[in-house]
Amino acid sequence: FGVEGGLTSNTVIRRRGKHHPNLWTDDFIQSLSSPYGESVYVERRETLIKEISHMLKAVGNRDGEGDFSPSPYDTAWLARIPAIDDLSAPATRPHFPQTLRWICENQQDDGSWGLDHSHSKFSLADRLLNTLACIIPLAKWKTGQQNVTKGVHFLRRHMESIKQERLPIDFEIAFPELLYEAELLKLDLPYHLPWLEQIRCGRQKTLSKICRESFHTDATPFLYSLEGLQEIIDWKRIMNLQSPDGSFLNSPSSTACVFIKTGDIKSLDYLTNTLNKFGNFVPCMYPLDILERLWTVDVVQRLGIDRHFKEEIKVALDYAYRYWNQNVICDLNTAALGFRTLRFNGYDVSADVLRNFKNEDGQFFCCLGPAQAHKELASMLNLYRASELDFPGENILKEARAFTSTYLQEAVKEWEELKLEKNELLMEA
């Protein structure tokens, strides 16, 4: 093993008798010696350093550009926008016809849009939401009829299956709204399934908990999903929360909805510039994904290999810091991880950003409301870690530590109880 590992060969010999004889044999101990020379490890190390450096540059270079995946959902929202020079009522052609072509060319064989079954992040809820979003503009502009038919068939086959999944809050907010629009277009879908009625009731409860005043005055994660909240929006007041680049939390779908409702040219400029960047589709967020950059830096530093990537890390953190105070922090996980990572690396950041994710009851929530907090362990863990970097007088971090300590202890207890219950069921079987 060597002295550096804390266990010499003599120590192994002295302790050999204390271990299982079938494991600690001479052959096994000999097998721990590498057959490769030092040069092989040096070459492998340099290769890995280059690969990681390339990945870091991909997610956080100086221009803020990275590898962005197409978002069928957001692209479909741009496809809805009528041509601004079309004076007919109703409009007869889209402003971004290239988005319709992308939608038609990127339908899956089963009639859906989104990640296929082989992808590690496959989700039926995601496929249903994307598919419904994509067939609406096709039906609206009376194009791609074959694509619409295949999409409708996919939805009819799988809408009943979704009740077996735990649905994310964005699905519960957006899907009923899309169904309402699909019904207006007379698409042949099952609109009155029992589980749909449950989702509609849950959606109304979520909307009823939103403070309408703060919704229009404070930058909250709701800005990322305005298209699903149209009935509660004052379109004139919401413009006060527009980002400097014309977007709403860098969300193409949310910004497209605002433009459709208001005709705001600044919103259209953002959408046009984003589409020009990618050609015929848009990602779910542009021009940045702060969380991806912060997460990458955090992983590299916790692995203890950050000394090899000082320049790449500085570029990523400079970029995150540049946007830190521009109302683009849309969830607690990003806020907590960003605060901790930036402060740990010497950036001047305030813990007040965390107040945006604390309700009147003193509870911290993760995204669109307390209902999602129970499944966001990562957010609570990052908030706990952030609370350890408090300065004197930062009460919000003391409150965060108290809240997350209790939350995480209860989560561990619940996990242990579930594990025990599962083991008992296995023994009974």
Side-chain angles (χ1 to χ4, degrees):
F1 280 60
V3 176
E4 291 184 355
L7 192 64
T8 65
S9 57
N10 290 333
T11 305
V12 173
I13 293 174
R14 287 198 305 269
R15 295 183 178 179
R16 184 182 304 167
K18 296 182 180 181
H19 298 283
H20 195 286
N22 292 332
L23 175 63
W24 292 95
T25 62
D26 291 337
D27 291 341
F28 174 76
I29 296 174
Q30 186 63 34
S31 72
L32 298 177
S33 302
S34 172
Y36 304 107
E38 180 66 21
S39 61
V40 175
Y41 287 108
V42 171
E43 181 180 352
R44 178 58 176 160
R45 182 188 64 192
E46 295 303 317
T47 299
L48 290 173
I49 289 175
K50 289 180 181 179
E51 291 178 357
I52 296 173
S53 176
H54 175 75
M55 288 188 288
L56 281 168
K57 290 176 180 177
V59 300
N61 63 43
R62 298 187 187 277
D63 297 325
E65 308 298 341
D67 296 328
F68 289 90
S69 301
S71 168
Y73 178 84
D74 291 81
T75 303
W77 267 97
L78 268 70
R80 294 172 174 229
I81 298 175
I84 59 175
D85 59 350
D86 188 346
L87 302 180
S88 56
T92 58
R93 54 191 177 86
H95 188 71
F96 299 117
Q98 64 270 46
T99 57
L100 291 174
R101 290 195 293 271
W102 185 92
I103 290 172
C104 290
E105 293 170 359
N106 286 272
Q107 188 175 26
Q108 299 283 357
D109 292 339
D110 62 4
S112 69
W113 281 267
L115 300 174
D116 59 36
H117 291 270
S118 63
H119 200 283
S120 60
K121 295 183 179 179
F122 169 80
S123 163
L124 180 56
D126 176 71
R127 292 280 286 275
L128 291 176
L129 191 63
N130 283 327
T131 302
L132 186 54
C134 284
I135 64 175
I136 286 175
L138 294 179
K140 175 181 179 179
W141 301 118
K142 297 180 172 59
T143 187
Q145 185 55 49
Q146 184 176 358
N147 300 90
V148 173
T149 301
K150 290 176 63 178
V152 168
H153 287 165
F154 174 85
L155 290 167
R156 291 183 63 86
R157 288 196 307 271
H158 295 283
M159 279 177 64
E160 185 68 25
S161 303
I162 194 64
K163 66 182 181 182
Q164 305 298 333
E165 288 196 9
R166 174 177 288 181
L167 299 176
I169 190 67
D170 56 351
F171 181 92
E172 295 180 349
I173 292 293
F175 197 74
E177 185 75 13
L178 291 177
L179 275 178
Y180 172 74
E181 298 181 43
E183 192 168 12
L184 293 178
L185 291 168
K186 302 186 184 309
L187 294 174
D188 186 20
L189 294 171
Y191 294 102
H192 303 290
L193 295 173
W195 70 268
L196 285 175
E197 297 302 324
Q198 295 176 2
I199 287 182
R200 291 187 181 103
C201 291
R203 180 176 183 272
Q204 290 305 314
K205 289 181 180 179
T206 299
L207 297 185
S208 67
K209 296 178 182 178
I210 299 174
C211 175
R212 306 299 171 89
E213 181 61 29
S214 61
F215 177 82
H216 292 93
T217 58
D218 302 329
T220 68
F222 289 112
L223 291 178
Y224 190 76
S225 306
L226 294 178
E227 70 278 4
L229 306 166
Q230 297 181 44
E231 66 264 42
I232 68 171
I233 297 175
D234 182 326
W235 296 104
K236 184 176 181 180
R237 295 182 66 193
I238 205 69
M239 299 307 299
N240 295 325
L241 299 175
Q242 188 175 36
S243 297
D245 64 358
S247 74
F248 288 82
L249 274 187
N250 299 71
S251 168
S253 59
S254 191
T255 308
C257 180
V258 171
F259 175 75
I260 292 172
K261 292 295 183 179
T262 67
D264 176 63
I265 296 302
K266 195 174 180 180
S267 297
L268 182 62
D269 289 343
Y270 162 79
L271 297 170
T272 302
N273 293 335
T274 302
L275 193 59
N276 287 341
K277 166 65 183 176
F278 297 98
N280 55 4
F281 71 87
V282 292
C284 65
M285 179 181 283
Y286 185 80
L288 76 160
D289 186 343
I290 287 181
L291 179 60
E292 184 178 12
R293 288 166 170 77
L294 294 170
W295 179 85
T296 304
V297 171
D298 181 57
V299 169
V300 169
Q301 290 185 329
R302 285 197 289 151
L303 286 173
I305 59 176
D306 50 299
R307 64 188 183 278
H308 298 292
F309 312 104
K310 292 182 178 180
E311 181 180 352
E312 293 88 346
I313 288 174
K314 185 178 186 304
V315 168
L317 293 181
D318 283 350
Y319 185 80
Y321 185 64
R322 186 161 69 248
Y323 283 93
W324 188 249
N325 295 317
Q326 295 189 21
N327 295 334
V328 298
I329 309 302
C330 59
D331 62 271
L332 177 60
N333 196 33
T334 303
L337 179 60
F339 168 79
R340 191 188 65 80
T341 305
L342 290 171
R343 177 169 283 190
F344 180 80
N345 286 277
Y347 291 81
D348 182 18
V349 291
S350 171
D352 287 343
V353 67
L354 301 174
R355 297 187 186 280
N356 295 330
F357 305 96
K358 183 184 176 186
N359 62 23
E360 297 176 352
D361 298 327
Q363 295 182 326
F364 289 85
F365 60 90
C366 300
C367 190
L368 292 179
Q372 200 179 13
H374 71 279
K375 57 183 179 181
E376 290 292 347
L377 283 172
S379 298
M380 294 301 166
L381 181 58
N382 276 319
L383 181 58
Y384 177 82
R385 296 170 67 202
S387 72
E388 296 178 330
L389 297 180
D390 62 314
F391 290 161
E394 288 184 316
N395 293 329
I396 185 66
L397 291 178
K398 291 181 174 60
E399 295 167 2
R401 185 178 307 170
F403 178 83
T404 53
S405 295
T406 301
Y407 181 97
L408 293 171
Q409 288 171 3
E410 291 177 351
V412 170
K413 181 179 179 181
E414 180 181 353
W415 180 82
E416 290 176 343
E417 290 175 350
L418 289 173
K419 184 178 179 181
L420 180 61
E421 181 180 348
K422 181 179 179 180
N423 290 337
E424 289 176 351
L425 290 174
L426 290 175
M427 291 179 65
E428 292 177 359

